[in-house]
CSV table of all heavy atoms in Angstrom, one decimal:
chain,number,residue,atom,x,y,z
A,273,GLU,N,71.1,-141.0,-70.2
A,273,GLU,CA,71.8,-142.1,-69.5
A,273,GLU,C,73.2,-141.7,-69.1
A,273,GLU,O,73.7,-142.1,-68.0
A,273,GLU,CB,71.8,-143.3,-70.4
A,273,GLU,CG,70.4,-144.0,-70.6
A,273,GLU,CD,69.8,-144.5,-69.3
A,273,GLU,OE1,70.6,-145.1,-68.5
A,273,GLU,OE2,68.6,-144.3,-69.0
A,274,ILE,N,73.9,-141.0,-70.0
A,274,ILE,CA,75.3,-140.6,-69.7
A,274,ILE,C,75.3,-139.6,-68.5
A,274,ILE,O,76.2,-139.7,-67.6
A,274,ILE,CB,76.0,-140.0,-71.0
A,274,ILE,CG1,76.2,-141.1,-72.0
A,274,ILE,CG2,77.2,-139.3,-70.6
A,274,ILE,CD1,76.7,-140.6,-73.3
A,275,LEU,N,74.4,-138.7,-68.5
A,275,LEU,CA,74.3,-137.8,-67.4
A,275,LEU,C,74.0,-138.5,-66.1
A,275,LEU,O,74.4,-137.9,-65.0
A,275,LEU,CB,73.1,-136.8,-67.7
A,275,LEU,CG,73.4,-135.7,-68.8
A,275,LEU,CD1,72.1,-134.9,-69.0
A,275,LEU,CD2,74.6,-134.8,-68.5
A,276,HIS,N,73.4,-139.6,-66.1
A,276,HIS,CA,73.2,-140.4,-64.9
A,276,HIS,C,74.2,-141.4,-64.7
A,276,HIS,O,74.0,-142.3,-63.8
A,276,HIS,CB,71.8,-141.1,-65.0
A,276,HIS,CG,70.6,-140.1,-64.8
A,276,HIS,ND1,70.4,-139.4,-63.6
A,276,HIS,CD2,69.7,-139.7,-65.7
A,276,HIS,CE1,69.4,-138.6,-63.8
A,276,HIS,NE2,68.9,-138.8,-65.0
A,277,GLY,N,75.4,-141.3,-65.4
A,277,GLY,CA,76.5,-142.2,-65.1
A,277,GLY,C,76.8,-143.3,-66.0
A,277,GLY,O,77.7,-144.1,-65.7
A,278,ALA,N,76.1,-143.4,-67.1
A,278,ALA,CA,76.3,-144.5,-68.0
A,278,ALA,C,77.6,-144.4,-68.7
A,278,ALA,O,78.2,-143.2,-68.8
A,278,ALA,CB,75.2,-144.6,-69.1
A,279,ASN,N,78.2,-145.5,-69.2
A,279,ASN,CA,79.5,-145.4,-69.9
A,279,ASN,C,79.4,-144.8,-71.3
A,279,ASN,O,78.6,-145.2,-72.1
A,279,ASN,CB,80.0,-146.9,-70.1
A,279,ASN,CG,81.4,-146.9,-70.5
A,279,ASN,OD1,82.0,-145.9,-71.0
A,279,ASN,ND2,82.1,-148.1,-70.3
A,280,ILE,N,80.2,-143.7,-71.5
A,280,ILE,CA,80.1,-143.0,-72.7
A,280,ILE,C,80.6,-143.8,-73.9
A,280,ILE,O,80.2,-143.5,-75.1
A,280,ILE,CB,80.9,-141.7,-72.6
A,280,ILE,CG1,80.6,-140.7,-73.8
A,280,ILE,CG2,82.4,-142.0,-72.6
A,280,ILE,CD1,81.1,-139.3,-73.6
A,281,GLU,N,81.4,-144.8,-73.6
A,281,GLU,CA,81.9,-145.7,-74.7
A,281,GLU,C,80.8,-146.4,-75.4
A,281,GLU,O,80.9,-146.8,-76.6
A,281,GLU,CB,82.9,-146.6,-74.2
A,281,GLU,CG,84.2,-146.0,-73.7
A,281,GLU,CD,85.2,-146.9,-73.1
A,281,GLU,OE1,84.9,-148.2,-73.2
A,281,GLU,OE2,86.3,-146.5,-72.7
A,282,GLY,N,79.7,-146.7,-74.7
A,282,GLY,CA,78.6,-147.4,-75.3
A,282,GLY,C,77.5,-146.5,-75.9
A,282,GLY,O,76.4,-147.0,-76.2
A,283,PHE,N,77.8,-145.2,-76.1
A,283,PHE,CA,76.8,-144.3,-76.5
A,283,PHE,C,76.2,-144.6,-77.8
A,283,PHE,O,74.9,-144.7,-77.9
A,283,PHE,CB,77.5,-142.9,-76.6
A,283,PHE,CG,76.6,-141.8,-77.2
A,283,PHE,CD1,75.6,-141.2,-76.4
A,283,PHE,CD2,76.7,-141.4,-78.5
A,283,PHE,CE1,74.8,-140.3,-76.9
A,283,PHE,CE2,75.8,-140.4,-79.0
A,283,PHE,CZ,74.9,-139.8,-78.2
A,284,TRP,N,77.0,-144.9,-78.8
A,284,TRP,CA,76.4,-145.1,-80.2
A,284,TRP,C,75.7,-146.5,-80.3
A,284,TRP,O,74.8,-146.6,-81.0
A,284,TRP,CB,77.5,-145.0,-81.2
A,284,TRP,CG,77.9,-143.6,-81.4
A,284,TRP,CD1,79.2,-143.1,-81.1
A,284,TRP,CD2,77.1,-142.6,-82.0
A,284,TRP,NE1,79.2,-141.7,-81.4
A,284,TRP,CE2,77.9,-141.4,-81.9
A,284,TRP,CE3,75.8,-142.5,-82.4
A,284,TRP,CZ2,77.5,-140.1,-82.4
A,284,TRP,CZ3,75.4,-141.2,-82.9
A,284,TRP,CH2,76.2,-140.1,-82.8
A,285,ILE,N,76.1,-147.4,-79.4
A,285,ILE,CA,75.4,-148.7,-79.4
A,285,ILE,C,74.0,-148.5,-78.9
A,285,ILE,O,73.0,-149.0,-79.4
A,285,ILE,CB,76.2,-149.7,-78.5
A,285,ILE,CG1,77.5,-150.1,-79.2
A,285,ILE,CG2,75.3,-151.0,-78.3
A,285,ILE,CD1,78.4,-151.0,-78.3
A,286,GLU,N,73.9,-147.7,-77.8
A,286,GLU,CA,72.6,-147.3,-77.2
A,286,GLU,C,71.7,-146.5,-78.2
A,286,GLU,O,70.5,-146.7,-78.2
A,286,GLU,CB,72.8,-146.6,-75.9
A,286,GLU,CG,73.4,-147.4,-74.8
A,286,GLU,CD,72.6,-148.6,-74.5
A,286,GLU,OE1,71.3,-148.5,-74.4
A,286,GLU,OE2,73.2,-149.7,-74.4
A,287,VAL,N,72.4,-145.7,-79.0
A,287,VAL,CA,71.6,-144.9,-80.0
A,287,VAL,C,71.0,-145.8,-81.0
A,287,VAL,O,69.8,-145.7,-81.4
A,287,VAL,CB,72.5,-143.8,-80.6
A,287,VAL,CG1,71.9,-143.2,-81.9
A,287,VAL,CG2,72.9,-142.8,-79.6
A,288,VAL,N,71.8,-146.8,-81.5
A,288,VAL,CA,71.3,-147.7,-82.5
A,288,VAL,C,70.2,-148.6,-82.0
A,288,VAL,O,69.2,-148.8,-82.6
A,288,VAL,CB,72.4,-148.5,-83.1
A,288,VAL,CG1,71.9,-149.6,-84.1
A,288,VAL,CG2,73.4,-147.6,-83.8
A,289,ARG,N,70.4,-149.1,-80.8
A,289,ARG,CA,69.4,-149.9,-80.1
A,289,ARG,C,68.1,-149.2,-79.8
A,289,ARG,O,67.0,-149.7,-79.9
A,289,ARG,CB,70.0,-150.5,-78.8
A,289,ARG,CG,71.0,-151.7,-79.1
A,289,ARG,CD,71.5,-152.2,-77.7
A,289,ARG,NE,72.4,-153.2,-77.9
A,289,ARG,CZ,73.2,-153.7,-76.9
A,289,ARG,NH1,73.1,-153.2,-75.7
A,289,ARG,NH2,74.0,-154.7,-77.1
A,290,GLY,N,68.3,-147.9,-79.3
A,290,GLY,CA,67.2,-147.1,-78.9
A,290,GLY,C,66.8,-147.5,-77.5
A,290,GLY,O,67.2,-148.6,-77.0
A,291,HIS,N,66.1,-146.7,-76.8
A,291,HIS,CA,65.5,-147.0,-75.5
A,291,HIS,C,64.6,-148.2,-75.7
A,291,HIS,O,64.0,-148.4,-76.7
A,291,HIS,CB,64.8,-145.8,-74.9
A,291,HIS,CG,64.6,-145.8,-73.4
A,291,HIS,ND1,63.5,-146.4,-72.9
A,291,HIS,CD2,65.4,-145.4,-72.4
A,291,HIS,CE1,63.6,-146.2,-71.5
A,291,HIS,NE2,64.8,-145.6,-71.3
A,292,TYR,N,64.4,-148.9,-74.6
A,292,TYR,CA,63.7,-150.2,-74.7
A,292,TYR,C,62.3,-150.1,-75.4
A,292,TYR,O,61.9,-151.0,-76.2
A,292,TYR,CB,63.6,-151.0,-73.4
A,292,TYR,CG,62.7,-150.4,-72.4
A,292,TYR,CD1,61.3,-150.7,-72.4
A,292,TYR,CD2,63.2,-149.5,-71.4
A,292,TYR,CE1,60.5,-150.2,-71.4
A,292,TYR,CE2,62.3,-149.0,-70.4
A,292,TYR,CZ,61.0,-149.4,-70.4
A,292,TYR,OH,60.1,-148.8,-69.5
A,293,HIS,N,61.6,-149.0,-75.2
A,293,HIS,CA,60.2,-148.9,-75.8
A,293,HIS,C,60.3,-148.6,-77.3
A,293,HIS,O,59.3,-148.7,-78.0
A,293,HIS,CB,59.4,-147.8,-75.0
A,293,HIS,CG,59.9,-146.4,-75.3
A,293,HIS,ND1,61.1,-146.0,-75.0
A,293,HIS,CD2,59.2,-145.3,-75.8
A,293,HIS,CE1,61.2,-144.7,-75.3
A,293,HIS,NE2,60.0,-144.3,-75.8
A,294,MET,N,61.5,-148.1,-77.7
A,294,MET,CA,61.6,-147.7,-79.1
A,294,MET,C,61.8,-148.9,-80.1
A,294,MET,O,61.9,-148.7,-81.3
A,294,MET,CB,62.7,-146.6,-79.3
A,294,MET,CG,62.3,-145.3,-78.6
A,294,MET,SD,63.6,-144.1,-78.5
A,294,MET,CE,63.9,-143.8,-80.2
A,295,GLY,N,62.0,-150.1,-79.5
A,295,GLY,CA,62.1,-151.2,-80.4
A,295,GLY,C,60.9,-151.4,-81.2
A,295,GLY,O,60.9,-152.0,-82.3
A,296,PHE,N,59.8,-150.9,-80.7
A,296,PHE,CA,58.5,-151.0,-81.4
A,296,PHE,C,58.6,-150.3,-82.8
A,296,PHE,O,58.0,-150.7,-83.8
A,296,PHE,CB,57.4,-150.3,-80.6
A,296,PHE,CG,56.1,-150.2,-81.3
A,296,PHE,CD1,55.3,-151.4,-81.5
A,296,PHE,CD2,55.6,-149.0,-81.7
A,296,PHE,CE1,54.1,-151.3,-82.2
A,296,PHE,CE2,54.4,-148.9,-82.4
A,296,PHE,CZ,53.6,-150.0,-82.6
A,297,LEU,N,59.4,-149.3,-82.9
A,297,LEU,CA,59.6,-148.5,-84.1
A,297,LEU,C,60.3,-149.4,-85.2
A,297,LEU,O,59.9,-149.3,-86.4
A,297,LEU,CB,60.3,-147.2,-83.9
A,297,LEU,CG,59.7,-146.2,-82.9
A,297,LEU,CD1,60.5,-144.9,-82.9
A,297,LEU,CD2,58.2,-146.0,-83.2
A,298,TYR,N,61.2,-150.2,-84.8
A,298,TYR,CA,61.9,-151.1,-85.8
A,298,TYR,C,60.8,-152.0,-86.3
A,298,TYR,O,60.8,-152.3,-87.5
A,298,TYR,CB,62.9,-151.9,-85.1
A,298,TYR,CG,64.3,-151.3,-85.0
A,298,TYR,CD1,64.8,-150.9,-83.7
A,298,TYR,CD2,65.1,-151.0,-86.1
A,298,TYR,CE1,66.1,-150.3,-83.7
A,298,TYR,CE2,66.3,-150.5,-86.1
A,298,TYR,CZ,66.8,-150.1,-84.8
A,298,TYR,OH,68.1,-149.5,-84.8
A,299,ARG,N,60.0,-152.5,-85.5
A,299,ARG,CA,59.0,-153.5,-85.9
A,299,ARG,C,57.9,-152.9,-86.8
A,299,ARG,O,57.4,-153.5,-87.7
A,299,ARG,CB,58.3,-154.1,-84.6
A,299,ARG,CG,59.3,-154.9,-83.8
A,299,ARG,CD,58.9,-155.1,-82.3
A,299,ARG,NE,57.8,-156.0,-82.2
A,299,ARG,CZ,57.1,-156.2,-81.0
A,299,ARG,NH1,57.5,-155.4,-80.0
A,299,ARG,NH2,56.2,-157.1,-80.9
A,300,ILE,N,57.5,-151.7,-86.5
A,300,ILE,CA,56.5,-151.0,-87.2
A,300,ILE,C,57.0,-150.6,-88.6
A,300,ILE,O,56.3,-150.7,-89.6
A,300,ILE,CB,55.9,-149.8,-86.5
A,300,ILE,CG1,54.4,-149.6,-86.9
A,300,ILE,CG2,56.7,-148.5,-86.7
A,300,ILE,CD1,53.4,-150.5,-86.4
A,301,VAL,N,58.3,-150.2,-88.7
A,301,VAL,CA,58.9,-150.0,-90.0
A,301,VAL,C,58.9,-151.2,-90.9
A,301,VAL,O,58.6,-151.2,-92.1
A,301,VAL,CB,60.3,-149.4,-89.9
A,301,VAL,CG1,61.0,-149.4,-91.2
A,301,VAL,CG2,60.2,-148.0,-89.4
A,302,GLY,N,59.2,-152.4,-90.3
A,302,GLY,CA,59.2,-153.6,-91.0
A,302,GLY,C,57.8,-153.9,-91.6
A,302,GLY,O,57.6,-154.4,-92.7
A,303,LEU,N,56.7,-153.6,-90.8
A,303,LEU,CA,55.4,-153.8,-91.3
A,303,LEU,C,55.1,-152.8,-92.5
A,303,LEU,O,54.5,-153.3,-93.5
A,303,LEU,CB,54.4,-153.5,-90.2
A,303,LEU,CG,54.3,-154.5,-89.0
A,303,LEU,CD1,53.3,-154.1,-88.0
A,303,LEU,CD2,53.9,-155.9,-89.6
A,304,TYR,N,55.5,-151.6,-92.4
A,304,TYR,CA,55.2,-150.6,-93.4
A,304,TYR,C,55.9,-151.1,-94.7
A,304,TYR,O,55.3,-150.9,-95.8
A,304,TYR,CB,55.8,-149.2,-93.0
A,304,TYR,CG,55.0,-148.6,-91.9
A,304,TYR,CD1,55.5,-147.4,-91.3
A,304,TYR,CD2,53.8,-149.1,-91.4
A,304,TYR,CE1,54.8,-146.8,-90.3
A,304,TYR,CE2,53.2,-148.5,-90.4
A,304,TYR,CZ,53.6,-147.4,-89.8
A,304,TYR,OH,53.0,-146.8,-88.8
A,305,LEU,N,57.1,-151.7,-94.6
A,305,LEU,CA,57.8,-152.1,-95.9
A,305,LEU,C,57.0,-153.3,-96.5
A,305,LEU,O,57.1,-153.5,-97.7
A,305,LEU,CB,59.2,-152.6,-95.5
A,305,LEU,CG,60.2,-151.5,-95.1
A,305,LEU,CD1,61.5,-152.1,-94.6
A,305,LEU,CD2,60.4,-150.5,-96.2
A,306,LEU,N,56.2,-154.0,-95.7
A,306,LEU,CA,55.4,-155.1,-96.3
A,306,LEU,C,54.0,-154.8,-96.7
A,306,LEU,O,53.3,-155.6,-97.2
A,306,LEU,CB,55.4,-156.3,-95.2
A,306,LEU,CG,56.7,-157.0,-94.9
A,306,LEU,CD1,56.5,-157.9,-93.8
A,306,LEU,CD2,57.2,-157.8,-96.2
A,307,VAL,N,53.7,-153.5,-96.5
A,307,VAL,CA,52.3,-153.1,-96.9
A,307,VAL,C,51.9,-153.4,-98.3
A,307,VAL,O,50.7,-153.9,-98.5
A,307,VAL,CB,52.1,-151.6,-96.6
A,307,VAL,CG1,50.9,-151.0,-97.3
A,307,VAL,CG2,52.0,-151.3,-95.1
A,308,PRO,N,52.7,-153.3,-99.3
A,308,PRO,CA,52.3,-153.6,-100.7
A,308,PRO,C,51.8,-155.1,-100.8
A,308,PRO,O,50.9,-155.4,-101.5
A,308,PRO,CB,53.5,-153.4,-101.5
A,308,PRO,CG,54.2,-152.3,-100.8
A,308,PRO,CD,54.0,-152.6,-99.3
A,309,PHE,N,52.5,-156.0,-100.0
A,309,PHE,CA,52.1,-157.4,-100.0
A,309,PHE,C,50.8,-157.6,-99.3
A,309,PHE,O,49.9,-158.3,-99.7
A,309,PHE,CB,53.2,-158.3,-99.4
A,309,PHE,CG,54.5,-158.2,-100.1
A,309,PHE,CD1,55.5,-157.4,-99.7
A,309,PHE,CD2,54.7,-158.9,-101.3
A,309,PHE,CE1,56.7,-157.4,-100.3
A,309,PHE,CE2,55.9,-158.9,-102.0
A,309,PHE,CZ,56.9,-158.1,-101.5
A,310,PHE,N,50.7,-156.9,-98.1
A,310,PHE,CA,49.4,-157.1,-97.3
A,310,PHE,C,48.2,-156.5,-98.0
A,310,PHE,O,47.1,-157.1,-97.9
A,310,PHE,CB,49.6,-156.3,-96.0
A,310,PHE,CG,50.6,-156.9,-95.0
A,310,PHE,CD1,51.5,-156.1,-94.3
A,310,PHE,CD2,50.7,-158.3,-94.9
A,310,PHE,CE1,52.4,-156.7,-93.5
A,310,PHE,CE2,51.7,-158.9,-94.1
A,310,PHE,CZ,52.5,-158.0,-93.3
A,311,VAL,N,48.4,-155.5,-98.8
A,311,VAL,CA,47.3,-154.9,-99.6
A,311,VAL,C,46.7,-155.9,-100.5
A,311,VAL,O,45.5,-156.0,-100.7
A,311,VAL,CB,47.8,-153.6,-100.3
A,311,VAL,CG1,46.7,-153.2,-101.4
A,311,VAL,CG2,48.0,-152.5,-99.4
A,312,LYS,N,47.6,-156.7,-101.2
A,312,LYS,CA,47.1,-157.7,-102.1
A,312,LYS,C,46.4,-158.8,-101.3
A,312,LYS,O,45.4,-159.4,-101.8
A,312,LYS,CB,48.3,-158.3,-102.9
A,312,LYS,CG,48.9,-157.3,-103.8
A,312,LYS,CD,47.9,-156.9,-104.9
A,312,LYS,CE,48.6,-155.9,-105.9
A,312,LYS,NZ,47.6,-155.4,-106.9
A,313,ILE,N,46.8,-159.1,-100.2
A,313,ILE,CA,46.2,-160.2,-99.4
A,313,ILE,C,44.8,-159.8,-99.0
A,313,ILE,O,43.8,-160.5,-99.1
A,313,ILE,CB,47.0,-160.5,-98.1
A,313,ILE,CG1,48.3,-161.3,-98.5
A,313,ILE,CG2,46.3,-161.4,-97.1
A,313,ILE,CD1,49.3,-161.5,-97.4
A,314,VAL,N,44.6,-158.6,-98.5
A,314,VAL,CA,43.3,-158.1,-97.9
A,314,VAL,C,42.3,-157.8,-99.0
A,314,VAL,O,41.1,-157.5,-98.7
A,314,VAL,CB,43.5,-157.0,-96.9
A,314,VAL,CG1,44.3,-157.3,-95.8
A,314,VAL,CG2,44.0,-155.7,-97.6
A,315,GLU,N,42.7,-157.8,-100.3
A,315,GLU,CA,41.8,-157.6,-101.3
A,315,GLU,C,40.8,-158.8,-101.4
A,315,GLU,O,39.7,-158.7,-102.0
A,315,GLU,CB,42.5,-157.4,-102.7
A,315,GLU,CG,43.1,-156.0,-102.8
A,315,GLU,CD,43.9,-155.9,-104.1
A,315,GLU,OE1,44.0,-156.9,-104.9
A,315,GLU,OE2,44.3,-154.7,-104.4
A,316,SER,N,41.2,-159.9,-100.9
A,316,SER,CA,40.4,-161.1,-101.0
A,316,SER,C,40.1,-161.5,-99.5
A,316,SER,O,40.9,-161.7,-98.7
A,316,SER,CB,41.2,-162.3,-101.6
A,316,SER,OG,40.6,-163.5,-101.3
A,317,ARG,N,38.8,-161.7,-99.3
A,317,ARG,CA,38.3,-162.1,-97.9
A,317,ARG,C,38.9,-163.5,-97.6
A,317,ARG,O,39.3,-163.7,-96.5
A,317,ARG,CB,36.8,-162.1,-97.8
A,317,ARG,CG,36.3,-162.4,-96.4
A,317,ARG,CD,34.8,-162.2,-96.4
A,317,ARG,NE,34.3,-162.4,-95.0
A,317,ARG,CZ,33.1,-162.1,-94.6
A,317,ARG,NH1,32.2,-161.6,-95.5
A,317,ARG,NH2,32.7,-162.3,-93.3
A,318,ALA,N,38.8,-164.4,-98.6
A,318,ALA,CA,39.3,-165.8,-98.4
A,318,ALA,C,40.8,-165.8,-98.0
A,318,ALA,O,41.2,-166.5,-97.1
A,318,ALA,CB,39.0,-166.6,-99.6
A,319,LEU,N,41.6,-165.0,-98.8
A,319,LEU,CA,43.0,-165.0,-98.6
A,319,LEU,C,43.3,-164.3,-97.2
A,319,LEU,O,44.3,-164.8,-96.5
A,319,LEU,CB,43.7,-164.2,-99.7
A,319,LEU,CG,45.2,-164.3,-99.9
A,319,LEU,CD1,45.6,-165.8,-100.0
A,319,LEU,CD2,45.7,-163.5,-101.0
């Protein structure tokens, strides 16, 4: 983005945010952290 003229001052903000499609990775990590809870839920069909 900087090579194409983006402001270098916002570099680290863009790094933390990630490119727009990489927001999915934040969401998937959140799911992985909850796996131990989900495992208990899926042990029961009713639950």
